[in-house]
Structure formats: structure tokens, C-alpha cells
Amino acid sequence: MRNVSDPTGVADHPSPRDPAGSRATTVAKGVGLVALVALAVAFPQMAADPFILSVGVVIMSYAVLATSWNFVGGFTGYISLGHAAYSGFGGYATGLLILETGMNPWVALIAGALVVAVLAVPIGIASLRVRGASFVIVSIALVLIMLLVFQSWGSVSGGSNGLRIPRPFGEDVLRPEQHERFFYLHAVLLAIALFTWWAIDRSRFGMGLKAIREDEDKAQALGVPTFSYKLVVFVISAFFTALGGGMYALWFGFLDPIFQFSILIGSYMVLMSLLGGIRSLFGPLLGAVIVGYALEFFKAQYGDTQFHLVALGILLALVVLFMPDGIIPAVGSLLARFRPQATSIREQTQAEMADERRKTSPASADDHDSHDPEEALR
């Protein structure tokens, strides 16, 4: 029987799927993931010299920060230019815990990130009450305040002289080995952040966050606790960003407030995520590889000039104009054009309904044919 409440008949006849295409997509994703892991494992051995390996560490650090930023930007659509406040504070918290308490560097890394996560709660309560451009301004104000505090508080942070942090490995570990170990450590941290993003994306919590991104007012009207959801993902983002900042501090061994609390760092996170695609899992990673390599290339070629900022500005303009959703969604849409199109649901449903009527009502047709016309006239 046809569902009366569904005049199109879709409820009685599910939409056709392409299992072969789904399997091919799954296999392609699996192959891509394996290739990515293999490349990450082999990169330190493939690097021609310690400088190339150090560039790889910097790119991995950017990938961690961009993925951490994407918890807020990708799920809620809130654009924060001040996430450098959390990476910088995570670096200083890790360094100060090591220097002042003698704590194990890896314990200090996690403890420093937890401290940042706790401080992110009141910051999120205050900043997440505004949206749009107001939220962007609040995020910029936060990083500027942190810059002034750590630059002026010289007795604790070292001020403009910076803060030197002992590396966690012994003196017998040479610089190339330091780079190799920190490359793998950043890769592990990135994998944890990506897995967490993936798990949230497929959870009920993630569905609520994406509803906030599409239309926050409608999501709240439908019963989604929008403020609580935003605050939780904001704290998660701050935690992973602080871990990235602390890991960088352990690798680089020196912290400078002007660099650690730079708006440019927050802008890089946004640019990397937008370039790759903020709604995709690996978008920030792809953007970090492109932007990170471009930054290091321009710095190596043009020294201390600001040409790399001009180049990144042009890159951002091109992304906004031609690929507003990022590279990965744009490539996905392009590939979708070459896939075989499924038959329309309406055409299949009509054919199936007609065939079903012929198959399910033979008895009535036989009865009608067996009636004597004269008796029918009577």
C-alpha cells in the first residue's frame, strides 16, 4: 500500500544508492590515509638536511594549531583571530612549570594545557556572548592583552628578553635527532587532534555544533543548548592549541612574547583552515602544508622583508574569490561532476509503483474479467 502521508512514494521506495561508488570512495579514503601516514613516517629519513627537517617540524606545528583552531571555526563558524593567545600561553605555562617547579617536561606540557583550558572557561563565557565581527574584535583584544601582560611581567616571563626553556632530551641528542623526535611527537599530537575532531563530527554533539554554524537562532529554537555547546568546543580548542604551543616551546627552546602572542599566528591558523576547507577533517592539514611551506620559502628567499605577508594576502584573496569553501571541498565537487549520475528518484518510484500495482492486484483484475457483462448490467 502507498503511504497516504507521502504523496511522492519515497517512503515506500527508498532512494537508490550506488554501493560500488560508496565502496570506491571508502577505499580511496583508506588508501589516502595510509599514504599520509607512510609519508609522515618516512619524511625524517627523506629530508636532505637538518634545515629541511626543521621546516617539516614547523609545518607539523602549524598543522596542529590549524586543526585545533578548526574545532571552533569549523564546527561553529566563529572566526577567532586571537587563538595565538592560547598557543602562547600554553608555551609559557609549559616553560614556567619546568623552570619554577622542576616538573617533568611532558607532565608540564599536559599540565600547562589544562591550565589554559581552565582559563578558557571564563574567557569563553565572556566572549561567546557576541557573534560575527564583535567576536573577532574580542579575540584580537585578548591576544593583545596577553602580549602586554607577558611583555611587561619581566620577572616571570622574561619580558622582551624572552624565556629560555631547557629541551627535554639530553645534551648527547644532536640537533638533527631533536628535529626528528619532535617531528614524530607533533605528528602524534596531530593524529590525536584529528581523531578527536572526527569523533565529534560524527556525534550528536557535533550535529548540534553544525546546527549552530548553519543558523544559531534556529538551533536554539529547536532545543539545542547553543551556549553550552559553544563553550565546550571552545575549551577543547584552547586545550589542543595550548598543547601545540607547549610542544613548539619544548622544541624551539626559547619564547618571545612578541612572536608568541602575534596576531599573525592567529591569522595563519585561519588562512590554513580556510585554504584547505574548514568543514573537512584534513582541510587544515592541507592548508598548513601549503602555507607553512610558502612561509618558509619566502623567508628563506627574501630574508626579513615583509614580502611573505603580501604573498599570503594574495593567496587569501584568491581562496576567498575562487574557492570560498577550501581546496578539498572544491576538488570534491569537481570530481563529483565526473561520477555517473543516479537515476532520479521520481522516475524510479513511478515505474516501481506501476509495476507494484500490476503485481499486487491480479486477483481483482481476474475477478473483473470473470464477471458476466450481462450480470454486471443487471
Side-chain angles (χ1 to χ4, degrees):
M1 294 293 293
R2 181 176 176 176
N3 190 350
V4 178
S5 62
D6 181 28
T8 63
V10 175
D12 295 331
H13 303 278
S15 59
R17 295 183 179 180
D18 183 11
S22 300
R23 285 195 297 270
T25 303
T26 303
V27 170
K29 290 181 179 179
V31 171
L33 181 59
V34 172
L36 182 64
V37 173
L39 179 61
V41 171
F43 177 79
Q45 283 70 40
M46 295 167 56
D49 51 58
F51 173 74
I52 299 297
L53 187 55
S54 68
V55 171
V57 178
V58 171
I59 291 176
M60 292 299 291
S61 177
Y62 279 138
V64 171
L65 295 179
T67 302
S68 303
W69 179 92
N70 203 38
F71 281 95
V72 172
F75 281 127
T76 67
Y78 278 58
I79 304 298
S80 169
L81 291 177
H83 252 54
Y86 308 112
S87 63
F89 195 17
Y92 271 99
T94 301
L96 290 173
L97 285 173
I98 295 173
L99 294 174
E100 300 297 331
T101 67
M103 188 179 293
N104 179 276
W106 309 114
V107 176
L109 175 66
I110 298 175
L114 290 174
V115 170
V116 174
V118 171
L119 292 177
V121 175
I123 294 173
I125 292 175
S127 62
L128 292 172
R129 298 185 183 278
V130 295
R131 309 179 192 176
S134 299
F135 179 79
V136 176
I137 294 172
V138 169
S139 66
I140 294 175
L142 173 64
V143 73
L144 292 178
I145 291 172
M146 298 294 288
L147 170 61
L148 293 175
V149 169
F150 277 83
Q151 198 169 12
S152 303
W153 201 4
S155 60
V156 175
S157 65
S160 300
N161 295 323
L163 185 69
R164 189 166 298 279
I165 301 173
R167 290 192 174 97
F169 304 113
E171 296 294 335
D172 56 330
V173 180
L174 302 178
R175 183 174 294 273
E177 296 175 349
Q178 293 267 4
H179 295 336
E180 181 178 352
R181 295 186 183 187
F182 274 103
F183 180 87
Y184 288 132
L185 288 170
H186 277 92
V188 171
L189 179 56
L190 175 62
I192 295 173
L194 288 172
F195 177 78
T196 305
W197 200 96
W198 176 84
I200 292 177
D201 184 50
R202 281 154 178 76
S203 66
R204 183 182 181 88
F205 175 53
M207 292 180 63
L209 291 173
K210 286 180 280 189
I212 294 172
R213 181 187 65 200
E214 299 303 325
D215 194 320
E216 186 170 347
D217 293 328
K218 287 184 180 179
Q220 188 171 5
L222 291 173
V224 177
T226 56
F227 187 79
S228 299
Y229 276 29
K230 290 189 299 182
L231 182 60
V232 171
V233 80
F234 183 82
V235 173
I236 293 174
S237 177
F239 174 74
F240 278 105
T241 306
L243 282 176
M247 187 73 76
Y248 179 86
L250 291 176
W251 170 67
F252 196 68
F254 183 79
L255 296 176
D256 178 13
I258 296 178
F259 176 78
Q260 296 299 320
F261 298 102
S262 171
I263 297 178
L264 284 177
I265 301 298
S267 302
Y268 292 159
M269 298 182 202
V270 177
L271 175 58
M272 293 169 189
S273 300
L274 290 177
L275 180 62
I278 62 174
R279 300 186 182 187
S280 59
L281 175 62
F282 295 106
L285 172 58
L286 176 61
V289 172
I290 297 174
V291 176
Y293 178 80
L295 280 171
E296 297 303 315
F297 174 80
F298 286 122
K299 288 178 181 178
Q301 293 293 323
Y302 301 101
D304 294 333
T305 64
Q306 302 302 313
F307 182 77
H308 66 281
L309 298 179
V310 177
L312 290 178
I314 295 174
L315 179 61
L316 179 59
L318 292 175
V319 170
V320 172
L321 288 175
F322 299 104
M323 292 182 294
D325 293 329
I327 293 177
I328 292 181
V331 173
S333 300
L334 181 63
L335 294 177
R337 296 181 182 180
F338 297 97
R339 294 175 184 169
Q341 299 295 323
T343 308
S344 113
I345 296 176
R346 181 176 297 278
E347 291 176 357
Q348 285 197 356
T349 301
Q350 289 176 351
E352 290 176 0
M353 288 175 57
D355 184 59
E356 186 173 317
R357 288 196 186 97
R358 287 193 297 269
K359 291 181 179 179
T360 55
S361 58
S364 59
D366 293 342
D367 293 344
H368 183 270
D369 293 340
S370 63
H371 285 329
D372 188 353
E374 294 182 359
E375 292 180 359
L377 292 174
R378 296 172 189 172

